[in-house]
Amino acid sequence: MSAEAMPAAEPRPFVRNRTDGHVIECNGETAIIYAQTGPSINASDDYWTVGQLISIQVDNARIVGLIFKVDLPETRWVSGADQDVHVHVELVGQVNVGTNNQLTFASGVATYPHMGAIAHRIRATDLATIYTASLKNAVSIGHLSQNSSIPALISIESLITRHFAVLGSTGVGKSSAVSLLLRKIISQRPDLRVLILDPHNEFASAFPKHAISIDYNTFDLPYWLFRLEEFAEAVFRGRPVIAGEVDALRDLIPIAKDQFANSEQSISPSLLRKDRDYSSMTADTPAPYRIADLIKLIDDRIGQLEGKADRPVMKALKQRLQALVADPRYRFMFTAPTTMDTMRQIIGHIFRVPANDKPICVFQLAGLPSEVVNSVASVLCRMAFDLAVSSDGRLQTLVVCEEAHRYIPANPNAGFWPTRQAIARIAKEGRKYGVYLGVITQRPGELDSTILSQCSTVFAMRLGNERDQEIIRGAITGASQSTVGFLSSIANREAIAFGEAVPTPMRMVFETIPPEDLPAAHMTKNQELAKLGDQHLSLDVILMRMRQLNAAEGMTKDDPGMAFETPNTPPSPPKLQTPPDRIQWRSTEPKPQRPEPTQTTVEGFRANDLIRTFRNDKT
């Protein structure tokens, strides 16, 4: 029985038989196709629907169009009868038929369709030609929304070297998409290091075999690695800085560094002259010094300013430094042995030199004081760029910024300027030296548009905010502007991908990731166990972790010179036991030792040469 003879009450069979439409209007960007739908049309009801690709026959080529609107010439619908419809399409390119029926796709339109040109749903072979075009290091990350049998391919090389962004509202699968992309990246580029700035502590569980995790308990980032602006941000705890105190730090920190260098020179002068040059020391040079020496220099300056107006400024600075050192939340800056230069171990651990089959470093920022998060992000991004330059591009790093609008907000007066500057430098110049950027945010409207524009590949997931959609519309160049209209209604795990890493903008669905490899899988598992009635909840463990985050802790006195007296400061509570994770990290990493005259080669270049070049660049 044919579809025309079937009773109207019975469901019509789901077929993909082709039906034709005809071009009745065309300009440089769009075309309107006249078509019919109804019971006498031997095709599925969804044949002419928004989001589908169609093709228009023109000579020996087929123009590809994206349906973005369907309406009726007359504003009424007659049930049970054939209807005339107008199909509005955006022209995105054309499929050319060469010799031996070889199909190639080209963006843009060489020959526009004429009136009456036949249009129909795109062929599967044409669809495959569009999205399986020649790409460098092409890998599949999912499938097309229109046809699940056709893989969604991206070029890994273009993705990382031209920077990328993943944008989408909360809960649409952004983090899962990022973890999938990173897995594909490290499988194609095992030489690449990946540094993830993770403010929610969720990515560690996504890479159990390929990543190390560094949190507030398991890392040391010495204060002397901070530049002056970054250190001042920590000293003033996010409050407005006082110019007089910052000027004093600018003058006294180089002196403290010089004193530390002179004390070491008496032990091994020839080696230190070879490894470091202190002749042009500044407050920004990443060289060790003792806080105790800095406090003593301030005391000396206070004695010289007896009765002068600057004396209260120096006393206030001294109190700020003493309070900073005594604050247990900042122990990651002051627990490392200050009498040793641990820069080699710290950089090797964070930036995976050697990688030891774990090229990803998940830097968990949750648990750090909010006042210092921006400074830490600034230090890490700046070091990633400087290391790439110092290694002549051999130490290549992908920096992934989750919740990037925190660090690079659209308002130039918001955020922390050194962090913005460090990330912007990667975005604008990083490709030359081998340091790349991945931006993830749920609020593209609050992100610095200049940095977002440097991301040449964008995966836009569901975005309901009109301002965010306008940002995406401005980022899409050429055809496929109408795809922005789908952003408010696409499903979870679905995205519109466009840019350098894809041959043409495509609506695609990401691959499904096993539950155990999803970001924050450990939290999800605990929540599911609680729903199922698991009552194994230890309040003592919860309180212990809260105390590790917030409670006072005795200061680590690795340096005898750190044991200075703090006037009018209550004594510190007993020191908490070092968490097992920190003990394990210190036992597996090389202990800080004075460098030997002959260093071993690490992955093709000398680690000490890298550090020396790094320091020379910063002096």
Side-chain angles (χ1 to χ4, degrees):
M1 179 181 291
S2 65
E4 293 86 341
M6 295 182 65
E10 295 183 16
R12 299 177 60 201
F14 187 80
V15 294
R16 289 293 186 189
N17 295 335
R18 196 178 90 175
T19 185
D20 292 339
H22 300 274
V23 175
I24 60 173
E25 183 178 326
C26 179
N27 60 29
E29 297 178 350
T30 62
I32 300 177
I33 298 168
Y34 165 80
Q36 285 189 321
T37 184
S40 68
I41 306 302
N42 193 22
S44 60
D45 292 332
D46 67 338
Y47 194 89
W48 303 107
T49 53
V50 172
Q52 302 290 345
L53 285 176
I54 60 97
S55 63
I56 305 170
Q57 187 70 39
V58 178
D59 297 332
N60 202 31
R62 290 184 286 272
I63 307 302
V64 179
L66 175 68
I67 301 177
F68 67 90
K69 179 183 177 182
V70 181
D71 59 14
L72 299 174
E74 299 180 2
T75 57
R76 69 188 185 95
W77 179 264
V78 180
S79 181
D82 291 345
Q83 291 285 146
D84 296 335
V85 295
H86 283 177
V87 182
H88 300 253
V89 300
E90 184 178 32
L91 307 179
V92 299
Q94 69 181 47
V95 175
N96 299 310
V97 182
T99 57
N100 300 325
N101 292 324
Q102 182 71 29
L103 302 181
T104 57
F105 173 76
S107 300
V109 178
T111 305
Y112 286 92
H114 54 79
M115 294 300 97
I118 297 176
H120 51 79
R121 181 79 75 89
I122 193 169
R123 296 179 173 92
T125 54
D126 289 354
L127 198 61
T129 299
I130 294 172
Y131 293 111
T132 59
S134 176
L135 293 173
K136 190 176 182 180
N137 284 359
V139 298
S140 173
I141 58 172
H143 61 80
L144 300 186
S145 298
Q146 182 166 343
N147 190 331
S148 60
S149 65
I150 298 178
L153 299 179
I154 63 170
S155 168
I156 292 297
E157 199 67 25
S158 298
L159 180 73
I160 58 177
T161 59
R162 301 294 184 90
H163 314 310
F164 68 92
V166 180
L167 315 174
S169 302
T170 302
V172 300
K174 231 178 18 278
S175 298
S176 300
V178 172
S179 62
L180 172 65
L181 290 173
L182 293 180
R183 284 180 178 275
K184 301 292 184 179
I185 288 171
I186 61 175
S187 66
Q188 292 292 310
R189 287 286 307 274
D191 63 302
L192 187 72
R193 273 70 170 184
V194 180
L195 174 64
I196 305 176
L197 302 183
D198 184 7
H200 302 305
N201 296 3
E202 60 181 352
F203 280 101
S205 61
F207 309 101
K209 297 180 181 179
H210 301 97
I212 64 162
S213 178
I214 299 178
D215 62 14
Y216 65 94
N217 273 328
T218 58
F219 85 101
D220 297 318
L221 196 64
Y223 55 89
W224 47 264
L225 280 178
F226 288 57
R227 283 189 172 180
L228 179 60
E229 288 179 297
E230 298 159 350
F231 185 63
E233 181 78 0
V235 170
F236 288 90
R237 316 290 181 91
R239 301 183 183 91
V241 300
I242 298 175
E245 297 182 31
V246 174
D247 289 341
L249 288 174
R250 183 178 290 107
D251 294 338
L252 298 180
I253 288 178
I255 301 175
K257 292 178 178 180
D258 187 61
Q259 290 181 354
F260 180 87
N262 291 333
S263 66
E264 283 197 332
Q265 282 180 346
S266 61
I267 301 173
S268 180
S270 60
L271 179 60
L272 287 170
R273 289 195 198 100
K274 176 182 177 182
D275 193 44
R276 292 198 300 271
D277 179 13
Y278 289 91
S279 59
S280 55
M281 196 80 67
T282 70
D284 293 335
T285 306
Y289 66 95
R290 298 183 182 90
I291 286 290
D293 292 342
L294 183 60
I295 296 286
K296 187 177 183 304
L297 290 170
I298 293 174
D299 280 334
D300 294 342
R301 182 70 62 88
I302 291 174
Q304 297 171 4
L305 296 173
E306 187 71 33
K308 295 186 179 180
D310 292 339
R311 192 165 182 261
V313 173
M314 301 301 296
K315 294 182 67 176
L317 176 59
K318 175 183 175 181
Q319 293 174 357
R320 291 185 200 276
L321 291 174
Q322 291 174 334
L324 179 68
V325 175
D327 192 332
R329 300 177 304 159
Y330 293 83
R331 62 181 180 267
F332 68 92
M333 295 173 61
F334 299 100
T335 52
T338 56
T339 56
M340 297 183 184
D341 185 352
T342 58
M343 187 173 183
R344 184 176 184 274
Q345 287 77 18
I346 292 167
I347 288 181
H349 185 61
I350 295 175
F351 292 95
R352 312 310 302 138
V353 183
N356 292 330
D357 297 325
K358 291 192 174 183
I360 300 176
C361 175
V362 181
F363 209 98
Q364 300 184 1
L365 298 175
L368 293 181
S370 59
E371 303 91 348
V372 80
V373 167
N374 279 330
S375 289
V376 171
S378 176
V379 172
L380 296 175
C381 293
R382 175 173 53 79
M383 285 200 303
F385 185 93
D386 292 341
L387 287 172
V389 175
S390 300
S391 66
D392 294 328
R394 283 176 288 180
L395 185 59
Q396 299 188 46
T397 305
L398 170 63
V399 179
V400 179
C401 294
E402 173 71 280
E403 300 287 357
H405 57 273
R406 295 184 177 186
Y407 316 116
I408 41 177
N411 183 358
N413 297 320
F416 184 47
W417 174 251
T419 308
R420 177 193 295 271
Q421 188 179 37
I423 296 177
R425 194 179 182 194
I426 294 175
K428 296 175 181 178
E429 307 174 37
R431 182 172 177 267
K432 304 174 185 176
Y433 306 104
V435 57
Y436 315 114
L437 181 66
V439 171
I440 299 95
T441 182
Q442 57 184 314
R443 302 172 185 173
E446 297 181 13
L447 190 69
D448 189 321
S449 58
T450 303
I451 294 179
L452 182 60
S453 67
Q454 300 293 326
C455 298
S456 298
T457 303
V458 175
F459 298 90
M461 306 182 78
R462 188 166 67 244
L463 288 167
N465 186 280
E466 186 174 345
R467 168 61 178 161
D468 294 338
Q469 294 180 18
E470 286 298 322
I471 296 294
I472 304 302
R473 183 174 287 109
I476 297 180
T477 58
S480 298
Q481 290 280 336
S482 58
T483 55
V484 178
F486 308 141
L487 287 178
S488 60
S489 58
I490 57 179
N492 289 351
R493 294 179 40 243
E494 193 173 10
I496 297 171
F498 58 92
E500 295 288 337
V502 296
T504 191
M506 63 181 176
R507 183 174 172 181
M508 48 82 62
V509 179
F510 286 104
E511 291 178 7
T512 302
I513 300 177
E516 62 273 13
D517 291 337
L518 288 171
H522 60 294
M523 297 183 188
T524 304
K525 182 179 179 181
N526 291 336
Q527 293 168 359
E528 291 299 325
L529 290 175
K531 291 178 183 178
L532 295 175
D534 185 0
Q535 301 298 322
H536 294 83
L537 184 66
S538 173
L539 185 59
D540 292 334
V541 173
I542 295 174
L543 292 178
M544 181 187 69
R545 292 180 178 177
M546 290 178 63
R547 287 187 175 119
Q548 288 177 351
L549 286 172
N550 302 309
E553 178 182 9
M555 180 177 58
T556 301
K557 297 181 178 61
D558 291 318
D559 178 6
M562 292 286 290
F564 53 81
E565 294 293 329
T566 305
N568 302 323
T569 302
S572 300
K575 180 180 177 181
L576 298 177
Q577 184 177 359
T578 304
D581 288 341
R582 180 179 287 274
I583 296 173
Q584 182 181 5
W585 179 83
R586 291 185 185 278
S587 63
T588 56
E589 290 295 322
K591 293 183 179 180
Q593 296 178 352
R594 301 191 188 279
E596 298 296 332
T598 303
Q599 296 293 336
T600 58
T601 300
V602 180
E603 298 192 4
F605 54 92
R606 291 161 58 97
N608 273 9
D609 289 343
L610 174 62
I611 300 300
R612 188 183 305 112
T613 307
F614 178 91
R615 281 203 170 103
N616 291 337
D617 288 343
K618 299 300 109 193
T619 54

